[in-house]
């Protein structure tokens, strides 16, 4: 696996695919610089080697149109401030203007290209568009994990034009290693904690990881499909009736593979799906009519804690309750605390995919786990066992 450390960028131009798809407020100010900060080490390494950096990214969904509100010019100043280097901007990402700006770039300088998705060719993975992008640099660096599952021109196709001069940036390399650690090289026992709303959105992940884990903790809305399938009364809890057979199948396969499955035994049930709803703790199999389970209960947490603290490798995807409402956030917060404890004792913990990352941020767990993945969809597809085109394109000779 070639990373940026395998190259010396002295006098070279790095064409770097970054993920600067950052949130902007109504005055076009960047409200969260996490993604820019995440790309910083890669960009600085290129400059410190004596090279220059051409940065390309998308912003929002302009769908092939030049939408001024989605111009990357809005973020130029913020990128300069985060990187500590004045960043140049060019109002195109291909064509004569972009080529001229790239050609004039000197060692130590950074050029930010205009939004790639102003061209529909980007998302189509157009070969000619990718060729034009490739003319802007000597070495292609992909550091955008969030788009690595897309076969777009700048994330995948462009790599074909750099048969021997292409590599992963630090951020992407870290993501790949973290996933490897959980899926292949992690110390046992390996525990996966899966939550979130639906079985249907997690089923491919479960299928793929059953071979790799020792414990499967199930929480969140998914719980009730499993409980109902086993004959429990779940009241009005969220349930996918058409996935009940699948749930039983999962339990059977897990048993055959020697994976211990841990489902909640008690839950905090509410009279309505509302922040101020009446609540009561009940047995997960005896949820009263018209009540719904919205968080895991204390007895469940005792068991989950024991399993997590005994794990050496932990994957967490999806909250175990409706954490957006304070009343139902306790289980998710506690899971974060147990993972923190396990990590302190030397376990490797990876949190990734969609809402678990917002939960981690909301409760300040990002520094308490080993790794928080930044790529929602890309992370989920990796856990599902898919080969991401953006990663394959760098690995291919
Ligand atoms: P996902 O994107 O699949 O990880 O789902 C995350 C969502 O699942 C969050 O918005 C949670 O509020 C929701 N969720 C978690 N537990 C429950 C539950 N018991 N009932 C309904 N929704 C839930």
């Amino acid at each position: 696996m070639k990373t940026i450390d395998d190259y010396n960028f002295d006098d070279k131009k790095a064409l770097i695919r970054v993920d600067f798809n950052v949130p902007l407020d109504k005055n076009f100010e960047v409200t969260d610089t996490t993604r820019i900060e995440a790309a910083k080490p890669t960009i600085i390494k290129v400059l410190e080697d004596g090279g220059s950096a051409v940065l390309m990214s998308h912003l929002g969904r302009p769908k092939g149109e030049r939408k001024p509100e989605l111009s990357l010019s809005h973020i130029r100043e913020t990128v300069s401030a985060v990187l500590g280097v004045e960043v140049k901007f060019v109002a195109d990402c291909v064509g004569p203007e972009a080529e001229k700006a790239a050609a004039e770039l000197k060692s130590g300088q950074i050029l930010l290209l205009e939004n790639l998705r102003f061209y529909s060719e980007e998302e189509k993975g157009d070969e000619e568009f990718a060729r034009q992008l490739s003319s802007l640099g000597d070495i292609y660096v992909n550091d955008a994990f969030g788009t690595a599952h897309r076969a777009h021109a700048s994330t995948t196709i462009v790599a074909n034009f750099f048969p021997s001069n292409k590599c992963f940036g630090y951020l992407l390399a870290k993501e790949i290693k973290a996933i490897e650690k959980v899926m292949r090289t992690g110390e046992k026992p390996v525990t996966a904690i899966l939550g979130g709303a639906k079985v249907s959105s997690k089923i491919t992940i479960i299928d793929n990881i059953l071979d790799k884990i020792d414990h499967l903790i199930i929480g969140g809305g998914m719980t009730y499909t499993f409980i109902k399938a086993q004959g429990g009364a779940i009241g009005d809890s969220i349930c996918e009736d058409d996935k009940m057979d699948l749930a039983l199948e999962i339990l059977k396969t897990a048993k055959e593979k020697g994976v211990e499955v841990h489902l909640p035994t008690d839950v905090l049930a509410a009279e309505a799906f509302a922040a101020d709803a009446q609540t009561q703790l009940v047995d997960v199999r005896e949820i009263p009519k018209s009540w719904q389970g919205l968080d895991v209960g204390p007895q469940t947490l005792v068991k989950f804690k024991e399993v997590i603290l005994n794990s050496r490798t932990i994957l967490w995807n999806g909250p175990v309750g409706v954490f957006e409402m304070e009343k139902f956030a306790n289980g998710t917060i506690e899971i974060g605390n147990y993972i923190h404890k396990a990590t302190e004792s030397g376990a490797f913990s990876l949190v990734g995919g969609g809402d678990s990352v917002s939960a981690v941020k909301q409760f300040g767990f990002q520094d308490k786990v080993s790794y928080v993945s930044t790529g929602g969809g890309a992370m989920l597809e990796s856990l599902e066992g898919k080969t991401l085109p953006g990663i394959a394109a760098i690995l291919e000779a």
Side-chain angles (χ1 to χ4, degrees), residues 13 26 41 107 111 117 122 159 179 215 237 276 323 345:
K13 226 163 255 155
K26 60 181 188 328
S107 290
L111 173 67
R117 293 194 188 168
E122 161 65 359
I179 294 164
H215 295 272
S237 305
D276 58 354
F323 73 97
S345 319

Side-chain angles (χ1 to χ4, degrees), residues 144-150 168 172-184 201-202 204-210 212 315 317 350 352-353 371 373-392:
F145 182 65
T147 47
H149 58 316
R150 307 278 182 224
F168 297 111
L172 188 38
K174 260 201 296 192
E175 293 272 356
I176 296 169
K177 279 186 197 136
I179 294 164
E180 280 244 337
K181 240 178 160 165
V182 171
M183 306 294 265
R184 266 202 286 277
S201 62
K202 303 283 156 97
T204 335
I205 297 183
I206 300 179
D207 258 351
N208 184 45
I209 60 175
L210 279 181
K212 303 166 171 84
L315 164 72
N317 172 278
L350 166 63
Y371 196 75
S373 168
T374 54
M379 177 73 192
L380 292 180
E381 289 196 17
S382 299
L383 297 177
E384 286 170 357
K386 292 186 187 144
T387 308
L388 308 189
I391 293 176

